[in-house]
Amino acid sequence: DAGVTQSPTHLIKTRGQQVTLRCSPKSGHDTVSWYQQALGQGPQFIFQYYEEEERQRGNFPDRFSGHQFPNYSSELNVNALLLGDSALYLCASSLNGAGGLNEQFFGPGTRLTVL
Amino acid sequence: AQSVTQLGSHVSVSEGALVLLRCNYSSSVPPYLFWYVQYPNQGLQLLLKYTSAATLVKGINGFEAEFKKSETSFHLTKPSAHMSDAAEYFCAVSDPNQGGKLIFGQGTELSVKP
């Protein structure tokens, strides 16, 4: 089992550009959550996808959007990049149900640098 | 709203000494509580979780945490530190009614001296 995989590992963009990050969940998982981890901070919840729909959203602007595909993989898109978007973006997968008790398995993250 | 406060951004202990990482939470409903560990250039790994069963929770790698409702705390301990325990530790809370959204603390970096 490959666990949660994310691509790319690192990415450098300039202000105003758009970026797409990708995540493949752990085998058997149907729910994907995205988190932003700024340097020296704890991860912050961006949104969660289940059954190809955004189920929950954190306090992030509409520049942040996502998608979940029928195979449960997911993309995170960020438009009009700002310097403050520089962070480690973490994807976590889990199995739906149990009121959120099911363990979220995290990928290694994508390090985004905005210049 | 829920929140987590981790006391101490850096903790340093000697190998073999007690590890104590502090976490206080705020929640309007009985929460689920978690401790995660993050090694350099890696994602987060779950150490243990509290789900309203036993208040003393045992996790992986010899770690345990005690839920104290009266103190709104969920401190992480390990009797004897090992060099391999050096990492960043995050406490997190979730609302059982919100299906898995995790609210993380700022993190505590643990250093272990030989």
Side-chain angles (χ1 to χ4, degrees):
Chain A
D1 183 3
V4 180
T5 59
Q6 294 186 241
S7 63
T9 306
H10 295 86
L11 203 52
I12 299 175
K13 293 286 188 178
T14 57
R15 281 176 295 175
Q17 286 190 312
Q18 178 265 343
V19 68
T20 298
L21 311 181
R22 295 176 176 81
C23 171
S24 292
K26 182 178 170 66
S27 178
H29 286 182
D30 56 9
T31 303
V32 173
S33 302
W34 286 92
Y35 294 82
Q36 180 196 66
Q37 186 178 16
L39 199 61
Q41 305 291 318
Q44 286 196 299
F45 177 79
I46 303 175
F47 41 52
Q48 183 181 82
Y49 276 83
Y50 171 67
E51 291 188 337
E52 303 179 50
E53 296 283 337
E54 182 183 290
R55 183 160 67 174
Q56 291 187 79
R57 189 178 183 90
N59 188 26
F60 279 80
D62 292 344
R63 298 187 297 109
F64 289 78
S65 63
H67 190 77
Q68 186 179 34
F69 299 93
N71 68 352
Y72 307 119
S73 66
S74 177
E75 289 182 349
L76 165 64
N77 300 292
V78 187
N79 294 323
L81 284 167
L82 304 174
L83 295 179
D85 295 331
S86 295
L88 180 68
Y89 288 84
L90 296 166
C91 170
S93 74
S94 59
L95 189 60
N96 182 57
L101 270 183
N102 291 328
E103 180 179 348
Q104 294 191 33
F105 287 79
F106 284 80
T110 293
R111 175 72 63 186
L112 172 65
T113 302
V114 182
L115 302 176
Chain B
Q2 295 180 304
S3 66
V4 171
T5 301
Q6 291 184 240
L7 301 176
S9 58
H10 291 90
V11 170
S12 182
V13 300
S14 298
E15 192 173 20
L18 171 72
V19 175
L20 171 60
L21 304 182
R22 300 177 186 273
C23 172
N24 287 90
Y25 70 91
S26 173
S27 178
S28 56
V29 299
Y32 293 154
L33 292 160
F34 306 81
W35 274 100
Y36 282 85
V37 62
Q38 186 176 34
Y39 297 100
N41 301 314
Q42 294 188 27
L44 280 71
Q45 180 183 11
L46 181 67
L47 281 176
L48 48 80
K49 62 183 177 185
Y50 167 75
T51 60
S52 75
T55 56
L56 183 62
V57 182
K58 295 188 183 297
I60 62 172
N61 301 338
F63 285 94
E64 63 181 36
E66 186 172 9
F67 173 71
K68 291 187 176 181
K69 183 179 179 180
S70 62
E71 299 177 8
T72 61
S73 69
F74 190 57
H75 302 330
L76 182 71
T77 60
K78 181 173 181 177
S80 177
H82 191 273
M83 297 296 290
S84 62
D85 295 326
E88 188 87 20
Y89 291 80
F90 293 96
C91 181
V93 64
S94 76
D95 181 338
N97 300 317
Q98 291 199 19
K101 170 185 174 181
L102 293 171
I103 307 297
F104 286 88
Q106 297 281 75
T108 298
E109 183 180 0
L110 175 65
S111 299
V112 182
K113 299 174 291 186

